[in-house]
Amino acid sequence: MTVPKVVPALGEPPPPEAIGEAAHALKAGQLVALPTDTVYGLAVDPFHTGATDRLYAAKRRPRHVDLPVLVADLEQALALVIGLTDAARRLMERFWPGALTLVLPRRPDVQADLGSDEATVGVRCPDHAVPRALCRVAGPLATTSANLHGQPPLTTATEVAATFGEALGLVLDGGACARSPSTVVDCTGVEPRLLREGRIPWAGVVAATAGR
């Protein structure tokens, strides 16, 4: 198996050369592995035809399991969604950047390939300099944890490179990433609904939506 290029990306801000090289690979439709505030992720440009297909194939992930999106900031998130409730905005302002993914109504004109569901989108602004810097250059990124579907997450760049090999354009090495996953909350209705409890406790989410 051919091992992909591993590019050092430590530092805050991360090296511009590393971010630029990763952005170039994404715009070419390639998969990029990157560190996040949870575990390593696989990312693609969801607006590039065929890129999402390559991600699903590399991870062996079923097409009906939709992909969340990482964004650089609140402004980038708002360009993807409609019908944002007051509760959802409070959660963004309280927990972003951070380990909270919000499922929101998707703008009909957003032609991103994120799986089978075209009505909603899971959005997160991560508390890690590398993905935020990359999103500022390359735009919102469709992501999933860097592991084969159903297997434990990989926590180092070396493990990711060895597992996925030539399926990757490159790997951004940000050191070890081994934290608990994000909490996922459905904000498509009037009241937020817990889909998965992760690092942010559900009780804290409820308190934030109540303005406490």
Side-chain angles (χ1 to χ4, degrees):
M1 178 184 290
T2 303
V3 178
K5 182 177 182 180
V6 177
V7 180
L10 289 168
E12 195 163 341
E17 299 81 4
I19 297 301
E21 190 169 354
H24 180 77
L26 288 164
K27 290 303 180 184
Q30 297 179 339
L31 275 68
V32 169
L34 74 169
T36 76
D37 51 342
T38 56
V39 294
Y40 270 86
L42 301 178
V44 294
D45 176 357
F47 298 95
H48 189 290
T49 302
T52 299
D53 290 331
R54 286 188 277 278
L55 189 154
Y56 273 107
K59 188 178 169 80
R60 303 174 194 169
R61 180 182 176 110
R63 256 277 177 179
H64 69 268
V65 183
D66 295 292
L67 299 170
V69 174
L70 295 184
V71 294
D73 49 34
L74 177 60
E75 181 180 0
Q76 204 167 71
L78 294 179
L80 301 173
V81 304
I82 57 172
L84 191 70
T85 63
D86 290 341
R89 184 178 286 275
R90 281 196 293 270
L91 291 176
M92 290 176 173
E93 293 171 349
R94 170 65 179 83
F95 294 110
W96 283 5
L100 181 67
T101 300
L102 301 179
V103 178
L104 300 163
R106 177 172 161 180
R107 286 185 181 274
D109 59 343
V110 173
Q111 301 299 311
D113 182 4
L114 301 172
S116 60
D117 182 3
E118 297 184 357
T120 66
V121 57
V123 187
R124 185 166 85 87
C125 178
D127 189 15
H128 196 292
V130 169
R132 291 205 312 275
L134 190 53
C135 287
R136 279 192 287 271
V137 176
L141 300 176
T143 61
T144 179
S145 57
N147 56 286
L148 297 176
H149 187 67
Q151 298 298 311
L154 303 174
T155 59
T156 69
T158 301
E159 290 176 340
V160 174
T163 299
F164 290 97
E166 60 191 11
L168 297 175
L170 61 84
V171 180
L172 292 175
D173 186 356
C177 298
R179 303 186 72 183
S180 55
S182 68
T183 296
V184 182
V185 176
D186 184 340
C187 288
T188 59
V190 176
E191 297 294 332
R193 182 168 61 92
L194 179 66
L195 299 180
R196 180 185 73 191
E197 187 162 19
R199 192 183 320 157
I200 296 174
W202 174 238
V205 173
V206 172
T209 57
R212 299 197 299 269

